[in-house]
Amino acid sequence: MQDETRREFLKMAGSLSAGLMLGASGCAGNARRVGTSPKTPAVSAAGLSAEPLDTVRIGMIGVGDRGSQHLDKLVQMKHAQIVAIADPYEIAANKARKFCTNAGRDVPTLYTDGDHDYQKLLERDDIDAVIISTPWRWHCPQGVDTMNAGKHAFIEVPMALTLDELWRLVDTCEKTRRHCMMMENVNYGRDELLALNLCRRGVLGELTHGEAAYIHDLRSQMKHIENDTGSWRTGYHTREDGNLYPTHGLGPVAQYMNIDRTDDRFHSLVSMSSPALGRQKYAKAHFPPDHPRNQVKYISGDMSTSLIKTHMGRTIMVQWDTATPRPYSRLNLIQGTLGAFAGFPTRLAIEGRGSYHEWTQGDGMREVYDEFEHPLWKRIGEEATRAGGHGGMDYAMTFRIIECLHKGLPMDQNVYEGASWSAVRPLSNWSVAHGGRPIKFPDFTRGKWRDTSPLGIIT
């Protein structure tokens, strides 16, 4: 299939409900304005850098479960200053302010007067970057507002919910020349960085296939009724059937393959879902019959499986399951012509290095780490491990964000990557709704991926 304009793409996908394609976030309306090959080429945001900042002055929108974890890492950063916090849940905002003062930091200004009080935070002229850790439906409007206010936007995963929202973020980033980075922390995990180094050094040969997943039993979040993550996430399981959370597993595999950077890009996707049984059974077992959790139908299949075909013909399997009792896994497999690396447990098989018919794992991986440890982890791995946060990956991500802003460097993840990885959600919804039919990915780079340098090995 040849590339299509966004108008043609949306026409093909027009039978998908307006709620899935356009969302309810206020970001609808420009779906037909710019195609993938606009008459006036956009100025690419690939390799975007901004003026270096001696001190990175930060505003935070949302300091609940995830936002408070970001705050914990930010107060440890030498060149970061927390200036202001916006959160309509005043208890969370006050807790965050106290955390800052207990850490010996300045007292941040709070904005807690409703959902839109974050706008006052954005009006300030003493903020350079904003961390957005809010419920999913707010990611697009708050990211767009942040960049239009002249500030860099760092958005929790997924970057947005719909194709139109993702285009809005891409367009705004290109227009304002402000960073828009999805905070995919897994790309900074020790093993993910190790695998990236193996790929860049050609140890696995030519890459042909990847496997990515987010398999995590989160049914207990259904007990979050008034506050916390499950209070707003659970409802999506009654409205969508696809991969609601694709980026944790997919982000690293996409970077191994240089997706949207010189080598390749996502071309098309097919997706299928298993029966949706887990959450319905959990609700029946843990809530009374008349409870709201038992008054709805959960339609998200317990296991979502998508297969992505890339422009070069490579394949990536992406799975998502948060509804069944199964040990945590992101799969994290990358296959090349000379061998394979896989996670959970971490293991490696290389032709010419012992018997490639058996995995090298456990104690046998020590020599692999000694030889191929990523330079970034060599530099900050000990402090990242001490600081914690998903094994140190949260610290490493925050460290790099602040380092890049402080030195005026491009971000490790650009807006196009965040958009492509997040697009699996609406595309998988469409494919499932149409019996597993293939659907094409938009080219958010508008063809500029061929001219975008691969992510280097950060030293």
Side-chain angles (χ1 to χ4, degrees):
M1 292 182 291
Q2 297 178 346
D3 285 347
E4 300 171 56
T5 64
R6 192 188 318 175
R7 181 192 302 273
E8 291 166 339
F9 179 89
L10 290 177
K11 182 179 180 180
M12 178 177 67
S15 57
L16 183 61
S17 71
L20 289 179
M21 292 300 295
L22 299 180
S25 66
C27 286
N30 79 324
R32 291 171 293 279
R33 181 173 60 81
V34 180
T36 54
S37 300
K39 293 180 180 179
T40 303
V43 179
S44 175
L48 176 67
S49 60
E51 64 283 355
L53 301 168
D54 183 50
T55 298
V56 182
R57 302 169 299 177
I58 296 172
M60 302 194 69
I61 305 178
V63 284
D65 289 349
R66 190 63 178 134
S68 60
Q69 295 172 27
H70 290 315
L71 185 63
D72 174 67
K73 306 304 175 289
L74 285 166
V75 298
Q76 302 178 55
M77 300 294 147
K78 177 181 177 182
H79 298 288
Q81 177 188 0
I82 312 300
V83 174
I85 293 170
D87 195 311
Y89 187 46
E90 195 167 356
I91 293 175
N94 285 323
K95 182 179 179 181
R97 178 169 60 184
K98 185 176 181 181
F99 183 85
C100 290
T101 57
N102 288 345
R105 295 300 192 117
D106 295 338
V107 181
T109 303
L110 300 187
Y111 296 92
T112 61
D113 188 16
D115 288 341
H116 296 276
D117 208 27
Y118 74 89
Q119 297 281 5
K120 294 179 182 176
L121 179 151
L122 297 180
E123 292 171 0
R124 299 177 65 119
D125 59 6
D126 59 349
I127 291 177
D128 304 302
V130 177
I131 308 293
I132 298 169
S133 308
T134 50
W136 296 332
R137 69 187 182 92
W138 288 99
H139 289 185
C140 172
Q142 290 174 342
V144 168
D145 289 346
T146 294
M147 288 183 282
N148 281 332
K151 297 158 176 57
H152 303 296
F154 296 90
I155 306 173
E156 256 301 330
V157 302
M159 199 163 80
L161 296 180
T162 70
L163 297 180
D164 186 62
E165 289 183 337
L166 293 168
W167 277 111
R168 283 288 303 274
L169 290 166
V170 167
D171 290 346
T172 306
C173 177
E174 292 175 340
K175 178 187 72 174
T176 62
R177 314 309 291 170
R178 297 292 88 186
H179 291 299
C180 181
M181 174 180 154
M182 182 176 71
M183 300 178 73
E184 185 40 81
N185 60 326
V186 175
N187 284 58
Y188 294 90
R190 183 188 185 188
D191 285 354
E192 285 76 11
L193 289 171
L194 172 69
L196 179 64
N197 200 22
L198 289 167
C199 293
R200 290 292 188 273
R201 293 175 63 173
V203 176
L204 302 181
E206 296 181 56
L207 305 182
T208 58
H209 174 73
E211 296 180 9
Y214 186 72
I215 296 170
H216 190 184
D217 184 1
L218 295 178
R219 292 172 297 168
S220 63
Q221 288 186 347
M222 295 172 67
K223 294 181 179 179
H224 301 166
I225 304 300
E226 299 297 331
N227 298 299
D228 299 321
T229 304
S231 65
W232 54 267
R233 272 197 193 181
T234 302
Y236 287 102
H237 294 262
T238 70
R239 301 191 294 272
E240 297 183 40
D241 186 10
N243 188 327
L244 273 60
Y245 205 67
T247 72
H248 280 330
L250 182 59
V253 172
Q255 283 197 334
Y256 306 156
M257 290 185 173
N258 283 333
I259 297 298
D260 284 333
R261 292 175 177 261
T262 303
D263 289 352
D264 209 353
R265 77 175 187 90
F266 296 153
H267 179 271
S268 57
L269 169 149
V270 296
S271 189
M272 300 180 212
S273 294
S274 75
L277 303 177
R279 288 181 179 268
Q280 208 79 58
K281 289 181 176 295
Y282 188 89
K284 185 177 181 179
H286 292 270
F287 300 97
D290 59 349
H291 193 278
R293 291 288 191 242
N294 274 312
Q295 302 303 305
V296 293
K297 181 178 180 180
Y298 300 91
I299 66 171
S300 291
D302 290 357
M303 173 63 81
S304 166
T305 300
S306 301
L307 188 63
I308 296 173
K309 190 80 167 177
T310 74
H311 176 79
M312 288 178 59
R314 298 186 290 194
T315 53
I316 306 172
M317 183 186 74
V318 190
Q319 292 189 313
W320 172 74
D321 174 4
T322 62
T324 60
R326 179 172 166 181
Y328 182 92
S329 178
R330 296 190 301 273
L331 295 184
N332 192 29
L333 182 143
I334 184 69
Q335 177 70 57
T337 55
L338 296 179
F341 176 94
F344 304 91
T346 302
R347 55 204 191 276
L348 181 68
I350 301 296
E351 191 170 42
R353 280 177 169 255
S355 172
Y356 61 88
H357 295 289
E358 296 179 359
W359 290 105
T360 296
Q361 56 187 317
D363 290 342
M365 286 294 295
R366 291 179 181 176
E367 292 183 6
V368 178
Y369 284 108
D370 289 343
E371 185 174 357
F372 297 108
E373 187 84 84
H374 192 286
L376 177 63
W377 199 263
K378 287 183 179 179
R379 176 158 61 108
I380 67 167
E382 287 188 10
E383 59 192 270
T385 302
R386 284 196 305 270
H390 298 94
M393 62 177 65
D394 290 356
Y395 181 93
M397 176 181 68
T398 307
F399 177 91
R400 277 297 290 167
I401 288 172
I402 300 302
E403 181 174 65
C404 290
L405 291 174
H406 174 62
K407 295 183 177 181
L409 301 173
M411 291 293 148
D412 301 331
Q413 301 170 33
N414 62 43
V415 67
Y416 308 114
E417 292 169 305
S420 293
W421 307 346
S422 299
V424 169
R425 179 173 181 157
L427 296 179
S428 66
N429 284 331
W430 188 93
S431 183
V432 170
H434 290 79
R437 282 176 54 192
I439 187 166
K440 291 186 64 179
F441 275 83
D443 179 5
F444 292 104
T445 76
R446 301 177 177 90
K448 303 295 179 62
W449 59 275
R450 301 177 188 273
D451 305 317
T452 303
S453 299
L455 175 67
I457 296 297
I458 306 154
T459 57

